[in-house]
Amino acid sequence: MFGLYLHVPYCLAKCHYCDFNSRAPLDGESFDPYVRALCADVAGQVSRPVDTLFVGGGTPSILSGSQMTRIMASVQRHFDVVPGAEVTMEANPGTVDQAKLDECRAAGINRLSIGVQARQDHLLRRLGRQHDWPQCEAAVRQARAAGFEQVSLDLMYGLPGQTVADWDESLQACLGLVPDHLSTYSLIVEEHTTFGALAAQGRLSLPAEEEEEAMAAITQARCEAAGLTAYEVSNWARGEAVCRHNLLYWNNDEYLGLGAGAVSYVDGWRWTRVRRPETYIQRVLGGHDLFESGERVSDWVSWQETVSLGLRRFDGLDLAGLERHHELPVGCLQATWRAEFAAEEEAGLVIFDTDRMRLSWEGMRLASHFMVRMMAYCPLSEQPVGPAGRQPTLAGPAPKQDKGVVTGNLVGSSKEVGSDGT
């Protein structure tokens, strides 16, 4: 599969947990120059078939319907968007109305991902969100009326001041809207955020670990009762409504990221475009290079990412595919890890199928433990060794740009998760 990611770096305001490449527009700033630059960036690429398209941010729904239509028209002119492709736009309640969503649907967007985060208005204000619960309900209603094939909702738990009862209320309220997809992320306090600054000052009070565990247990029970199935530790889908763009990241498939700060992964290289919107606009429209940083993804890093992301998925890690990719003897991984985790298999924490290894719900709580032990066996010749012969810290997955891309290896963690800029 091949995916296209388009980044819109603007929000009504910066959320207190967000470390994405996003900001509120400057006084009097128009979005038109950015839209022109993004369309020019699209036009400058070599066309290839696109299986998934994700417009993320920031808050893409801050743009007008006509601006989004221009972006989509540019993509359709310069890329081969295959029939049946998943085309997602992130949206925030309060930045959409019926007319805008009708335009976005007519432009070819067929999946809407709405950042709800909480049911309680006092928690939304604490997060720095710019909407309330009635606007969430209205956004879902309008998306259905516009004819979106799938509607996804995002929620966050482990928030400052959030109780287990608060989380249950938020979860039940969102499930009552009958989403096709639900992402449930636990808060990760990032250093360069408002919450990060408060935490450094000892002024951020978070739920205790046992409270977060109770929230996770409630999530499993409520979602399963509502007919949603977990396909990744933080993501639930109704029927076949999994996020195919998320799967593209988790499978280490290729993607091209366009827009300020967008990340690409093509032909074994991962690189980032310039982050500042003003610089991005100037460079694109001036015909200059957009590269800011990048790296060749080694077999060892690819190995780490494949293992860590595969264990977060409920269909597990494709051992046969990992062996083929790294030209390893058939069956060597299953034999090695089955012997390593014999006790855990007997306890029902890990499950070995013919060519796969996966964790049960109970095993997911020990995902970090499994990852560390699995890193001890890597038959790749270029495996690096850190100081004093110790293995380096487990590498995280691709740089964040979508709520589907997860940093860290704690079960249920959000960024971002997901979280997000929306």
Side-chain angles (χ1 to χ4, degrees):
M1 291 181 62
F2 181 79
L4 183 62
Y5 174 84
L6 305 180
H7 190 71
V8 177
Y10 303 106
C11 291
L12 292 179
K14 187 78 169 178
C15 293
H16 298 163
Y17 57 84
C18 178
D19 71 338
F20 275 61
N21 184 35
S22 63
R23 64 166 173 78
L26 305 176
D27 289 343
E29 183 175 12
S30 168
F31 299 136
D32 262 345
Y34 188 83
V35 171
R36 287 199 304 273
L38 185 56
C39 290
D41 199 359
V42 169
Q45 306 305 313
V46 176
S47 178
R48 63 184 291 181
V50 171
D51 300 284
T52 71
L53 168 61
F54 198 103
V55 188
T59 306
S61 57
I62 200 172
L63 302 181
S64 68
S66 62
Q67 288 170 329
M68 190 59 65
T69 298
R70 285 163 53 194
I71 293 171
M72 290 300 300
S74 179
V75 170
Q76 290 158 357
R77 278 196 303 271
H78 298 287
F79 284 89
D80 176 17
V81 181
V82 304
E86 176 190 271
V87 182
T88 303
M89 180 181 77
E90 288 187 324
N92 268 348
T95 63
V96 295
D97 55 28
Q98 193 64 65
K100 181 184 290 189
L101 291 179
D102 287 343
E103 284 187 86
C104 291
R105 182 66 189 93
I109 298 168
N110 55 34
R111 183 176 184 274
L112 195 68
S113 179
I114 303 173
V116 174
Q117 313 314 359
R119 165 65 177 82
Q120 300 80 13
D121 289 346
H122 72 278
L123 289 179
L124 292 172
R125 290 192 297 271
R126 189 165 295 166
L127 293 172
R129 305 291 288 176
Q130 302 297 303
H131 67 265
D132 56 25
W133 176 250
Q135 289 175 311
C136 297
E137 295 178 304
V140 173
R141 183 172 62 250
Q142 292 160 356
R144 296 298 188 192
F148 283 89
E149 296 173 12
Q150 291 185 24
V151 174
S152 177
L153 305 180
D154 283 4
L155 278 176
M156 298 179 70
Y157 65 94
L159 306 177
Q162 185 183 47
T163 66
V164 174
D166 287 335
W167 173 247
D168 196 19
E169 181 185 27
S170 293
L171 193 59
Q172 291 195 69
C174 279
L175 291 173
L177 299 176
V178 196
D180 304 287
H181 185 279
L182 181 67
S183 296
T184 57
Y185 301 116
S186 70
L187 174 70
I188 293 295
V189 178
E190 304 283 4
E191 181 180 1
H192 300 294
T193 63
T194 298
F195 280 171
L198 291 173
Q201 299 166 15
R203 297 169 53 202
L204 192 68
S205 177
L206 300 174
E209 182 177 350
E210 56 270 21
E211 291 178 294
E212 282 211 35
E213 290 178 353
M215 293 176 189
I218 289 171
T219 304
Q220 180 185 359
R222 294 290 189 197
C223 288
E224 289 179 348
L228 296 174
T229 300
Y231 68 102
E232 193 265 355
V233 71
S234 299
N235 286 275
W236 301 77
R238 191 178 307 279
E240 301 299 316
V242 300
C243 180
R244 286 150 54 190
H245 195 82
N246 279 359
L247 291 175
L248 178 147
Y249 289 136
W250 300 334
N251 288 335
N252 275 345
D253 287 329
E254 294 188 332
Y255 51 89
L256 178 65
L258 307 179
V263 178
S264 299
Y265 177 53
V266 179
D267 292 335
W269 286 90
R270 183 176 293 140
W271 71 95
T272 304
R273 275 167 162 67
V274 291
R275 292 177 56 85
R276 294 183 66 249
E278 300 86 346
T279 305
Y280 172 79
I281 293 169
Q282 293 169 359
R283 291 198 184 181
V284 172
L285 300 182
H288 302 300
D289 180 35
L290 301 176
F291 179 89
E292 180 164 286
S293 62
E295 63 173 348
R296 179 75 179 177
V297 179
S298 68
D299 280 351
W300 169 242
V301 170
S302 176
W303 172 278
Q304 291 179 304
E305 294 176 354
T306 301
V307 170
S308 61
L309 292 174
L311 285 184
R312 292 182 60 95
R313 294 170 48 178
F314 279 92
D315 64 353
L317 180 61
D318 179 3
L319 301 180
L322 193 58
E323 288 165 350
R324 287 193 300 271
H325 181 77
H326 293 287
E327 300 181 349
L328 301 174
V330 175
C332 70
L333 296 181
Q334 174 140 178
T336 299
W337 284 331
R338 196 160 194 170
E340 172 70 19
F341 297 115
E344 287 83 356
E345 182 179 13
E346 184 175 355
L349 301 176
V350 60
I351 301 163
F352 288 91
D353 298 322
T354 303
D355 291 318
R356 305 189 76 88
M357 172 185 175
R358 55 191 175 91
L359 303 182
S360 65
W361 268 110
E362 294 75 15
M364 282 290 182
R365 301 181 185 280
L366 301 172
S368 297
H369 165 78
F370 279 95
M371 290 178 199
V372 170
R373 289 172 64 185
M374 291 171 75
M375 287 304 117
Y377 174 72
C378 177
L380 306 181
S381 59
E382 63 183 86
Q383 177 179 354
V385 177
R390 296 176 60 84
Q391 296 302 324
T393 302
L394 182 64
K400 310 175 222 175
Q401 64 186 28
D402 160 34
K403 70 178 172 274
V405 182
V406 180
T407 63
N409 58 8
L410 297 179
V411 172
S413 62
S414 89
K415 313 167 258 290
E416 87 200 77
V417 199
S419 284
D420 43 284
T422 54

